[in-house]
């Protein structure tokens, strides 16, 4: 299905090579939740594609397409949204899947932009009223929301699907009636076994189905995952964090993001080392702090820089005073965002001081 879609809808000098590459990327590469395993798969696929492909980098084609489409989507830059790797993968996969009525399940830890992604796609795809010309003929999204919980029932889930299908049947244009299932992982824990109904709802033929997007903070049972295209968001490494920090800072103030780049790099390294050290702890709260704390850390530091603009201006010729002020901003931002555990503030501030 995806191969045929890319053949028909995307221009390329080598359509077969292009379409095979894109289909493999979406169906196999993105479902891997470990970066090292992804790398091995990438190399393996590159070798297998050599028979009819001259492309030395398996990711070159998909990453170009992901970039081309996601940069046209509507982002509220005033909120410091970082169009990082995870968000780009989310946005592109959602767009491709709902356009083709391919059910999609996204699995990733809190703070990996799952809910944000569907909001951005929703704000972007408004049919003829879309801001960008590319999306004007792609249909307007109507969401049918279901909140998963341990009290979820099969009847409740089926009602949402039925409502979306009814409105789709009565629609006279190419509107997209999307079932959005939030917190599927919580519903899977229900004693009612409500996700059993998902099996046949997702296996309907295209004519009788509606687009489906489910998100979960943790991996679901294979019987659910295998009935949809699966996107697994890998943990952020230091490069992902750097890209994220730069994007957030630049969205809030491009001049300061460049001028005080060293501060944001220091905070990024600090967070990365802190998370690595917490993973080594054998305790329940080792995941107490996560990506959202990091996002807020960068936003907090940038806002403090903006608030202290006068002082920074005055200290331009006194590098020692300027550096002391930047360190103080960093320490205060860390303290504000990484409290909550007995040793968390001291621990992360000590890492920052060493860096």
């Amino acid at each position: 299905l995806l191969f045929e879609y890319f053949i028909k809808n995307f221009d390329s000098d080598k359509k077969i090579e292009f379409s095979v590459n894109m289909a493999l990327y979406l169906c196999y590469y993105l479902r891997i939740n470990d970066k090292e395993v992804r790398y091995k798969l990438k190399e393996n696929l590159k070798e297998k594609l050599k028979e009819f492909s001259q492309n030395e980098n398996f990711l070159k084609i998909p990453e170009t397409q992901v970039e081309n489409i996601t940069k046209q989507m509507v982002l509220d830059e005033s909120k410091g949204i970082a169009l990082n790797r995870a968000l780009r993968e989310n946005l592109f996969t959602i767009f491709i899947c709902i356009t083709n009525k391919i059910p999609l399940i996204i699995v990733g830890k809190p703070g990996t932009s799952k809910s944000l992604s569907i909001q951005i796609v929703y704000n972007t795809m408004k049919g003829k009223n879309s801001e960008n010309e590319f999306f004007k003929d792609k249909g307007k999204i109507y969401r049918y929301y279901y909140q998963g919980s341990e009290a979820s029932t099969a009847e409740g889930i089926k009602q949402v699907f039925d409502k979306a299908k009814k409105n789709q049947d009565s629609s006279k244009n190419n509107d997209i009636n999307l079932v959005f299932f939030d917190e599927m992982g919580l519903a899977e824990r229900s004693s009612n076994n409500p996700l059993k109904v998902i099996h046949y709802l997702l296996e309907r033929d295209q004519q009788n189905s509606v687009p489906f997007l489910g998100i979960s903070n943790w991996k679901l049972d294979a019987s659910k995952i295998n009935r949809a295209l699966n996107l697994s968001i890998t943990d952020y490494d230091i490069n992902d964090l750097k890209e994220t920090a730069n994007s957030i800072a630049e969205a809030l103030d491009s001049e300061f993001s460049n001028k005080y780049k060293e501060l944001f790099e220091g905070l990024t390294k600090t967070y990365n080392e802190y998370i690595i050290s917490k993973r080594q702890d054998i305790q329940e709260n080792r995941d107490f702090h996560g990506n959202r704390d990091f996002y807020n850390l960068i936003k907090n530091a940038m806002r403090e820089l903006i608030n202290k603009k006068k002082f920074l201006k005055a200290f331009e010729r006194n590098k020692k005073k300027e550096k002391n002020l930047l360190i103080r901003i960093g320490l205060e931002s860390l303290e504000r965002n990484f409290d909550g555990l007995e040793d968390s503030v001291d621990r992360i501030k000590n890492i920052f001081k060493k860096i």
Side-chain angles (χ1 to χ4, degrees), residues 29-76:
Y29 179 80
L30 290 182
R31 71 184 294 119
I32 306 297
N33 64 359
D34 184 290
K35 272 204 162 183
E36 289 187 12
V37 179
R38 273 192 180 189
Y39 176 79
K40 291 176 182 176
L41 177 63
K42 179 190 75 171
E43 294 301 305
N44 193 7
L45 288 171
K46 184 183 77 173
E47 288 299 315
K48 292 185 180 299
L49 289 172
K50 274 186 176 179
E51 293 180 18
F52 64 94
S53 172
Q54 302 299 316
N55 187 12
E56 287 298 316
N57 183 358
F58 171 76
L59 293 180
K60 183 178 179 180
I61 290 174
E63 284 181 346
T64 299
Q65 296 306 313
V66 170
E67 178 76 19
N68 289 343
I69 289 178
T70 57
K71 71 180 181 182
Q72 299 182 73
M73 293 191 174
V74 178
L75 271 70
D76 186 351

Side-chain angles (χ1 to χ4, degrees), residues 9 14 30 32 45 64 84 88 110 115 126 151 173 186 206 220 222 229-230 250 261 269 283 287 302 327:
N9 293 280
K14 300 177 181 178
L30 290 182
I32 306 297
L45 288 171
T64 299
N84 59 13
R88 289 195 301 270
S115 298
K126 295 183 176 181
N173 46 38
L186 288 178
Q206 272 204 307
L220 301 174
L229 193 145
N230 179 222
E250 190 172 348
K261 193 174 183 178
K269 291 176 184 176
Q283 53 185 11
D287 292 324
M302 177 56 84
I327 290 172

Side-chain angles (χ1 to χ4, degrees), residues 42-215:
K42 179 190 75 171
E43 294 301 305
N44 193 7
L45 288 171
K46 184 183 77 173
E47 288 299 315
K48 292 185 180 299
L49 289 172
K50 274 186 176 179
E51 293 180 18
F52 64 94
S53 172
Q54 302 299 316
N55 187 12
E56 287 298 316
N57 183 358
F58 171 76
L59 293 180
K60 183 178 179 180
I61 290 174
E63 284 181 346
T64 299
Q65 296 306 313
V66 170
E67 178 76 19
N68 289 343
I69 289 178
T70 57
K71 71 180 181 182
Q72 299 182 73
M73 293 191 174
V74 178
L75 271 70
D76 186 351
E77 293 187 355
S78 65
K79 293 183 178 179
I81 295 174
L83 192 58
N84 59 13
R85 174 190 57 83
L87 182 54
R88 289 195 301 270
E89 289 177 356
N90 291 356
L91 293 173
F92 181 75
T93 311
I94 291 172
F95 167 72
I96 294 296
C97 285
I98 64 176
T99 301
N100 289 280
K101 285 191 187 177
I102 297 173
L104 170 65
I105 297 174
I106 301 178
V107 178
K109 291 180 180 179
T112 48
S113 306
K114 300 185 299 296
S115 298
L116 173 63
S117 300
I118 182 57
Q119 187 61 46
I120 291 173
V121 175
Y122 178 74
N123 291 338
T124 298
M125 298 183 69
K126 295 183 176 181
K128 293 179 180 178
N129 296 320
S130 299
E131 291 184 23
N132 194 293
E133 192 69 32
F134 177 80
F135 296 102
K136 288 186 182 294
D137 64 346
K138 301 296 187 292
K140 180 178 181 180
I141 294 179
Y142 291 89
R143 285 181 297 184
Y144 298 84
Y145 183 83
Y146 186 85
Q147 174 65 53
S149 71
E150 294 186 19
S152 294
T153 63
E155 292 77 14
I157 295 171
K158 188 174 183 301
Q159 283 175 7
V160 177
F161 272 86
D162 289 344
K163 187 176 180 180
K165 180 66 171 65
K166 182 180 178 182
N167 288 330
Q168 180 174 279
D169 291 341
S170 62
S171 178
K172 295 180 181 179
N173 46 38
N174 62 342
D175 289 340
I176 298 167
N177 293 276
L178 172 70
V179 173
F180 175 44
F181 196 136
D182 198 2
E183 298 286 5
M184 285 187 73
L186 288 178
E188 190 175 50
R189 293 182 173 184
S190 171
S191 58
N192 301 317
N193 195 19
L195 294 188
K196 191 77 174 175
V197 73
I198 288 285
H199 292 189
Y200 92 88
L201 289 172
L202 296 186
E203 287 178 348
R204 292 173 171 177
D205 58 52
Q206 272 204 307
Q207 188 175 354
N208 293 310
S209 66
V210 291
F212 171 83
L213 170 62
I215 63 175

